[in-house]
Amino acid sequence: PESLAIALWNAQWHMVLLSIVGRTPVAGVFVEQSAGPGILSAHGAVLSANLFREPHTLTDKQVEQFASHLAAFNHLLADRRFTHAAIVAAGNHREMMLPARVASIWGGIEALIGLDHELRHRIAFIVANLLEATPARQEARLAQTKSLYDLRSRCVHGADLKREQRETALNKSLDLL
């Protein structure tokens, strides 16, 4: 019974990863009471889902992403910052207001990086160094991330953005997270 309970608990985290790669809510409600040996801890987080949406079928690419990220995802769940970011990435779909979604996504990005001031430049610099191998690609990524952060700021702070700009802020931010 204990091993089944642990397996079921951990399977809920796999639903979080499915939600992230599928960019849609996945049904599942859980709350951590206390973590024990072998349990992928949520650090008290709550995940719920809207069950009144059309079903979403994962593409072959999304299934491949799930499979290729599963081991690293399971390993990183021990990090509180990562679990926060995973819950943000999986749960942002429930927020109706796009600016709030973008702000939430960037909160996840900022939690992963662990910064609290001079965010725009520091996030862009860290992202460029983490994701790119060559100086030329790092410089390009630095500029892209600063531009995306500026778009995020305009979105979050209520600037008059076209629908396409708001959707770009949302989708590119999710890509980065």
Side-chain angles (χ1 to χ4, degrees):
E2 182 178 338
S3 63
L4 177 60
I6 290 171
L8 290 172
W9 174 263
N10 292 344
Q12 293 179 103
W13 279 103
H14 297 160
M15 291 171 57
V16 168
L17 181 56
L18 282 172
S19 178
I20 292 168
V21 299
R23 292 205 176 174
T24 187
V26 174
V29 180
F30 63 97
V31 179
E32 174 187 7
Q33 297 300 322
S34 63
I39 294 177
L40 301 174
S41 176
H43 303 291
V46 178
L47 173 72
S48 62
N50 178 354
L51 301 177
F52 302 104
R53 292 179 69 134
E54 289 294 317
H56 174 76
T57 302
L58 294 175
T59 65
D60 289 341
K61 181 180 179 183
Q62 289 171 328
V63 171
E64 289 172 15
Q65 284 180 313
F66 175 82
S68 69
H69 289 47
L70 185 58
F73 183 85
N74 287 339
H75 175 73
L76 289 168
L77 285 172
D79 184 325
R80 182 178 300 269
R81 295 179 311 169
F82 181 82
T83 58
H84 173 79
I87 290 165
V88 166
N92 81 85
H93 311 286
R94 291 185 308 273
E95 175 57 56
M96 298 301 293
M97 300 296 294
L98 191 136
R101 286 181 71 186
V102 173
S104 176
I105 291 163
W106 277 93
I109 293 168
E110 293 164 6
L112 279 175
I113 295 174
L115 300 177
D116 60 2
H117 63 284
E118 299 178 28
L119 295 177
R120 179 182 178 268
H121 179 76
R122 293 178 72 191
I123 287 173
F125 180 78
I126 291 169
V127 165
N129 284 299
L130 282 174
L131 299 181
E132 304 299 346
T134 66
R137 291 182 59 109
Q138 288 173 344
E139 189 173 318
R141 176 68 75 160
L142 181 77
Q144 291 168 352
T145 305
K146 282 183 176 181
S147 177
L148 180 58
Y149 195 87
D150 291 344
L151 185 58
R152 162 255 180 237
S153 294
R154 292 175 59 213
C155 183
V156 168
H157 298 294
D160 187 23
L161 299 176
K162 295 179 181 173
R163 180 185 176 127
E164 181 180 299
Q165 290 174 301
R166 292 191 314 264
E167 289 175 357
T168 296
L170 175 66
N171 290 321
K172 295 289 185 184
S173 296
L174 273 171
D175 289 344
L176 182 59
L177 180 58

